[in-house]
Amino acid sequence: MTLFELAAEQKSAEVTDWAARLGWVAGLLLFVALVYWLMRQGWKWRGSLQSDLPELPGMPETPGTAKLTMAGRYHGSTTAGQWLDRIVAHGLGTRSRAELTLTDAGLEVVRPGATDFFVPAGQLRGARLDKGIAGKVLTEGGLLVVTWEHGDTLIDSGFRSDRAAEHPAWVDNLNTMITTTEGAAR
């Protein structure tokens, strides 16, 4: 066989079938849009299931002097002891930056771009260091978890300071405050 005969036998590469490729891209985009819509519907459904949760307490007019302050992130709230059972009602499921202030009146949580909330001192139930909450997992002790009572529900709220070395002081102060408040109530 000569070189010319080999060249004549070779076929050119197949041309891309643009219609099929565009069909696959459109199908993939529709699938992604469907998944996003289903996730949004699930979030709304979870919020409607938690609609019996009362409105969050407002900030007091005179909260008192700050014992501790912390800047960091709010990672969400869950039913106490159920670290994957996220609470989304009243904006508690929205992750955001947060500024915490502990006063004699309670815990003030200011969240730019999300709903602020206040936990009165009488509703605080405990504080601990943990490694995860509502789908967010960190190193052991990397998360400050505050347990508080809202209506008939015990809630765990997770915070991470910009300086994780602050967490133990928060746990000590919150637990001391809770013990003092419970002792005074008796």
Side-chain angles (χ1 to χ4, degrees), residues 89-101:
H90 308 300
L92 289 175
T94 306
R95 290 184 179 169
S96 62
R97 292 284 305 160
E99 294 177 10
L100 275 64
T101 306

Side-chain angles (χ1 to χ4, degrees), residues 124-159:
L124 291 168
R125 296 295 178 256
R128 69 182 186 280
L129 296 179
D130 212 331
K131 64 179 179 179
I133 192 166
K136 181 67 175 181
V137 179
L138 301 164
T139 59
E140 189 67 43
L143 193 66
L144 169 67
V145 177
V146 178
T147 303
W148 53 290
E149 186 173 2
H150 185 57
D152 295 333
T153 306
L154 277 179
I155 298 174
D156 283 343
S157 293
F159 304 94

Side-chain angles (χ1 to χ4, degrees), residues 6-64:
L6 284 174
E9 288 182 17
Q10 291 180 349
K11 294 185 178 184
S12 60
E14 288 188 31
V15 177
T16 303
D17 184 2
W18 285 103
R21 184 166 289 186
L22 289 175
W24 277 104
V25 169
L28 181 62
L29 290 175
L30 284 172
F31 177 73
V32 168
L34 174 68
V35 169
Y36 177 76
W37 180 78
L38 288 171
M39 288 176 10
R40 185 168 172 80
Q41 292 302 106
W43 189 267
K44 286 180 177 180
W45 177 70
R46 181 175 280 278
S48 67
L49 287 177
Q50 298 166 348
S51 63
D52 61 337
L53 199 64
E55 287 294 322
L56 297 171
M59 304 290 180
E61 291 180 22
T62 55

Side-chain angles (χ1 to χ4, degrees), residues 81-123:
Q82 304 292 323
W83 74 285
L84 290 176
D85 185 22
R86 182 187 297 266
I87 295 177
V88 301
H90 308 300
L92 289 175
T94 306
R95 290 184 179 169
S96 62
R97 292 284 305 160
E99 294 177 10
L100 275 64
T101 306
L102 182 64
T103 66
D104 287 330
L107 179 65
E108 181 179 324
V109 182
V110 176
R111 302 185 306 151
T115 307
D116 300 341
F117 63 95
F118 179 76
V119 181
Q123 293 179 342

